[in-house]
Amino acid sequence: MCVKVRLTHYSKLPPLGFDSAHFHNVPFDSYLVTKTLMLEQIFSYLELEDRKSVSRVCRLWAKLVFRKSNIQLALDFRAPSKLDSSESFRVLMASQRRYKHLLLYFGTKHDKSDLMLAILCKFAESLETLKLISDCTFSLRLDFFRRIVDRCQRLTTLHLQSVIFNHHKADDLRFGVLPKLERFYLKSNLLELAEVDVAKITPNITSLFIRVNYTSQRPVDFVRCFASQLTQLGICFQTADYFRQFSRLHFPRLEKFDLSSAEELVDEGEYEHEYLDLIRRLDKLKQIKLQNTVNTVVLITLTQCCLHLQDLCLNTDDLTDEHFLCFGELKCLKNLRLIKAAIDITQPEIYPVLPGVGRLTIEAVKIKNYNKFNYFLRHSFPRLVSLQLLQLFSPVRFKCDMISIYHQILNNLISLERLALHEKGKLHCEFFSAFATLIGLRELQLRFRGLGEYRYSTDMADFQVRSLLVDFRQINVGGLDTLIRIFPNLKRMEVCGASPEDVQFVRRKLPGCVVRHKRKQRIVECTNDT
């Protein structure tokens, strides 16, 4: 059997709280304790690759460098390993590291249940996060889930995706409790097993993602059990048949809400009354994502009832003047994300000013008038710090020149500090000239499938970008050299798609720049944090 092992950062921990005052007048016999605490503090600031290098120095450092860090152990059972599978398994089972976060990713070609169960039992006592994800629906024995419940008592997050559980013995139905579980992502058939009372197994969850299928209302009943304690809920309806029952529930503590449906809920008017009643009861919401057709009645109700809303995401077909006028009522709004909408800006001067919005994300959106859209950005978002334009200029949707489009949209966004651009096509370096008026730009994230030739122009601005994250599918030494010439002031650079030799080339060219090489890089969410 083959297993592919990958270590990734699961989350970024704050510093360990080192205080030099603790080490004044330390007795000599506590020297080792002092040394250990100091090393742990130093190691807490290292990136993953540096931690791996440090761990090879000696056994003590290998123990300390990963002891208090949130490192995720990701095991991919689909791809063949470069090492012998038995040797890889032996090394993993001999590891003394107590991983807190485990991801098991598998397919359906071969049953790896026994191997996964052995690895799970190895790290069960220290696990706080467990994810079981299959690339398609896969069947596991129910005793696999029973082992999780019995052994992983420290779990705070459980993620089950595309997994079907079947039981074979009566003992498989004897479950304990996961007392510390708070986050539950459930995209499996677990609720369909009538003999298993999942609500008693997970009594303390406060964050839930769940899918309501065509055949059963059991997921809605499960949500009903925890409605009074949920602070975060993501629910996806494959059919609207059970939406009316769900809309009658009360969520007095809900702060984050993600609602999507395969069928329209308000377009035909059949469920509009229930939809509005549900929103009126969510007066404590701070974050909401609506993945349906959102009319102005829904937005008006949202702005009148959810006065504390800070983060709004709309995945809808059209955004009209009436929609944008509603945004002005959200006085606490900080982040706005618009997905798959057709935006026709006609009179941007009548739109409200949103001085609190610092981050704007435009994804797969069709913009009909770029000049007016630029005026809209400068008028309505005077303090815009982060802008993400994702899959905006596909050749299938736009026939005009990409460079001209960027010029029209990005012109004179004085306050912009972070910009993320994600496209499926090839990047032509001339488009960097569109950044000439972005005098405050410091961080740039790019994701393209290739880099075109660069014709250097002396009239291009001396860009002040300090941080560059690049995800190119194909990039060579010439392309890296081009980026170095365009961004001479880089202090931090992350590159995906380049060979280790290319990375060394960049490090020689930019000795004062921290260069990271990642095999897979996603365009990350820009934040307003300084």
Side-chain angles (χ1 to χ4, degrees):
M1 295 184 179
C2 297
V3 55
K4 183 178 181 181
V5 181
R6 177 167 54 89
L7 294 179
T8 59
H9 275 293
Y10 184 77
S11 65
K12 188 173 183 180
L13 287 179
L16 298 178
F18 171 77
D19 186 353
S20 59
H22 293 169
F23 298 95
H24 290 315
N25 302 320
V26 177
F28 181 75
D29 57 1
S30 62
Y31 168 73
L32 292 179
V33 176
T34 303
K35 178 182 177 181
T36 298
L37 293 176
M38 293 180 67
L39 287 174
E40 285 182 347
Q41 174 65 19
I42 295 171
F43 294 157
S44 68
Y45 292 97
L46 298 180
E47 298 290 341
L48 180 60
E49 293 300 323
D50 294 330
R51 289 175 186 241
K52 292 179 182 179
S53 299
V54 166
S55 67
R56 301 187 184 101
V57 174
C58 64
R59 291 186 179 181
L60 175 62
W61 285 26
K63 181 179 180 180
L64 295 179
V65 73
F66 289 108
R67 187 161 73 177
K68 292 189 177 181
S69 62
N70 273 6
I71 300 297
Q72 176 177 268
L73 176 62
L75 303 177
D76 190 340
F77 293 90
R78 304 168 307 151
S81 174
K82 293 182 179 180
L83 300 176
D84 179 75
S85 59
S86 60
E87 178 65 16
S88 300
F89 180 72
R90 184 190 66 79
V91 172
L92 182 62
M93 297 304 288
S95 173
Q96 297 301 312
R97 295 174 184 168
R98 310 312 299 165
Y99 292 106
K100 296 181 181 180
H101 312 285
L102 177 62
L103 166 61
L104 301 179
Y105 195 82
F106 50 94
T108 58
K109 293 183 179 180
H110 304 284
D111 188 357
K112 304 292 197 315
S113 301
D114 293 336
L115 182 60
M116 290 191 297
L117 191 58
I119 295 173
L120 174 66
C121 294
K122 164 69 178 179
F123 303 105
E125 294 182 358
S126 61
L127 284 182
E128 297 178 5
T129 300
L130 176 61
K131 298 181 181 181
L132 301 179
I133 301 177
S134 176
D135 54 3
C136 53
T137 303
F138 183 72
S139 179
L140 288 175
R141 300 190 306 269
L142 189 60
D143 68 318
F144 197 107
F145 181 69
R146 182 170 58 83
R147 297 287 185 92
I148 295 175
V149 177
D150 293 343
R151 293 176 176 267
C152 303
Q153 288 294 292
R154 297 182 61 183
L155 276 185
T156 60
T157 301
L158 179 59
H159 186 117
L160 303 176
Q161 181 172 333
S162 300
V163 180
I164 294 179
F165 292 101
N166 298 307
H167 65 84
H168 303 281
K169 299 182 299 183
D171 291 342
D172 293 343
L173 301 176
R174 298 175 183 176
F175 291 95
V177 177
L178 292 171
K180 296 185 178 182
L181 192 69
E182 297 177 354
R183 300 175 59 85
F184 196 16
Y185 183 102
L186 188 58
K187 193 177 178 181
S188 71
N189 74 320
L190 192 58
L191 294 177
E192 303 303 323
L193 302 178
E195 304 90 341
V196 182
D197 192 347
V198 184
K200 291 184 177 180
I201 301 173
T202 62
N204 300 315
I205 58 174
T206 58
S207 179
L208 173 66
F209 177 87
I210 198 167
R211 182 177 61 179
V212 181
N213 57 27
Y214 295 93
T215 59
S216 173
Q217 68 174 16
R218 294 177 69 90
V220 176
D221 295 335
F222 185 75
V223 175
R224 182 180 290 108
C225 295
F226 303 100
S228 62
Q229 66 191 54
L230 289 178
T231 60
Q232 181 174 357
L233 173 63
I235 187 165
C236 176
F237 288 88
Q238 291 184 304
T239 174
D241 297 339
Y242 301 107
F243 178 76
R244 182 170 282 112
Q245 300 178 39
F246 169 77
S247 66
R248 297 168 183 166
L249 302 180
H250 291 264
F251 302 93
R253 299 180 57 192
L254 198 64
E255 296 181 355
K256 298 181 180 181
F257 186 37
D258 185 342
L259 174 63
S260 62
S261 174
E263 299 180 2
E264 293 295 341
L265 299 176
V266 298
D267 192 30
E268 301 294 335
E270 181 178 359
Y271 298 99
E272 184 172 353
H273 179 72
E274 290 83 357
Y275 197 99
L276 297 177
D277 280 347
L278 174 65
I279 292 179
R280 292 188 184 102
R281 295 195 299 272
L282 303 178
D283 57 328
K284 292 188 178 180
L285 273 188
K286 295 182 180 179
Q287 178 178 323
I288 189 171
K289 182 177 182 180
L290 300 177
Q291 302 186 62
N292 308 94
T293 298
V294 181
N295 58 28
T296 54
V297 177
V298 172
L299 266 185
I300 291 174
T301 304
L302 188 68
T303 57
Q304 292 175 346
C305 301
C306 303
L307 302 179
H308 305 290
L309 199 64
Q310 299 177 6
D311 197 319
L312 174 61
C313 178
L314 299 179
N315 186 342
T316 186
D317 294 332
D318 294 290
L319 288 174
T320 64
D321 292 348
E322 294 178 338
H323 288 91
F324 285 102
L325 289 174
C326 291
F327 295 155
E329 302 298 323
L330 298 173
K331 304 303 181 183
C332 298
L333 192 64
K334 296 180 180 179
N335 306 317
L336 178 61
R337 187 181 185 99
L338 307 175
I339 304 176
K340 295 182 180 179
I343 301 178
D344 187 7
I345 302 295
T346 57
Q347 294 180 294
E349 63 276 0
I350 70 172
Y351 293 164
V353 177
L354 300 172
V357 176
R359 182 176 68 187
L360 176 64
T361 300
I362 308 293
E363 181 176 350
V365 166
K366 182 178 180 180
I367 302 172
K368 298 182 179 180
N369 193 319
Y370 302 105
N371 283 323
K372 290 187 177 181
F373 189 75
N374 171 259
Y375 181 81
F376 159 69
L377 292 180
R378 290 187 285 115
H379 169 75
S380 295
F381 307 101
R383 298 181 183 176
L384 189 64
V385 176
S386 300
L387 176 62
Q388 297 188 95
L389 303 176
L390 311 181
Q391 299 183 11
L392 193 60
F393 308 118
S394 171
V396 176
R397 298 192 300 269
F398 300 94
K399 296 182 180 180
C400 46
D401 182 62
M402 185 182 71
I403 301 174
S404 175
I405 292 175
Y406 274 115
H407 272 290
Q408 294 180 64
I409 290 184
L410 299 176
N411 185 38
N412 284 323
L413 297 181
I414 306 297
S415 62
L416 200 65
E417 298 178 7
R418 307 179 187 97
L419 175 65
L421 303 174
H422 176 188
E423 280 302 323
K424 295 181 179 180
K426 191 174 183 180
L427 174 66
H428 296 277
C429 291
E430 285 80 1
F431 98 101
F432 287 117
S433 60
F435 299 163
T437 61
L438 305 180
I439 59 177
L441 190 64
R442 295 294 182 270
E443 180 180 327
L444 181 62
Q445 303 178 18
L446 300 174
R447 185 174 181 179
F448 289 84
R449 292 199 176 275
L451 183 65
E453 294 183 0
Y454 172 63
R455 298 180 181 88
Y456 183 75
S457 176
T458 56
D459 59 353
M460 289 185 64
D462 184 14
F463 297 116
Q464 299 301 314
V465 174
R466 297 290 189 269
S467 178
L468 179 63
L469 283 74
V470 190
D471 186 355
F472 293 146
R473 292 298 181 262
Q474 297 177 349
I475 189 170
N476 51 28
V477 174
L480 290 172
D481 187 51
T482 295
L483 292 175
I484 292 171
R485 285 188 290 163
I486 296 176
F487 302 106
N489 302 309
L490 286 179
K491 299 299 181 184
R492 179 174 177 267
M493 183 176 181
E494 292 187 8
V495 183
C496 169
S499 67
E501 293 78 12
D502 294 340
V503 175
Q504 293 299 325
F505 167 79
V506 178
R507 287 173 176 165
R508 290 193 300 269
K509 287 279 189 176
L510 293 173
C513 178
V514 178
V515 182
R516 306 291 184 194
H517 176 221
K518 294 188 177 182
R519 295 183 179 179
K520 186 175 182 180
Q521 176 69 51
R522 293 186 301 172
I523 294 295
V524 298
E525 286 274 343
C526 294
T527 65
N528 294 326
D529 300 334
T530 56

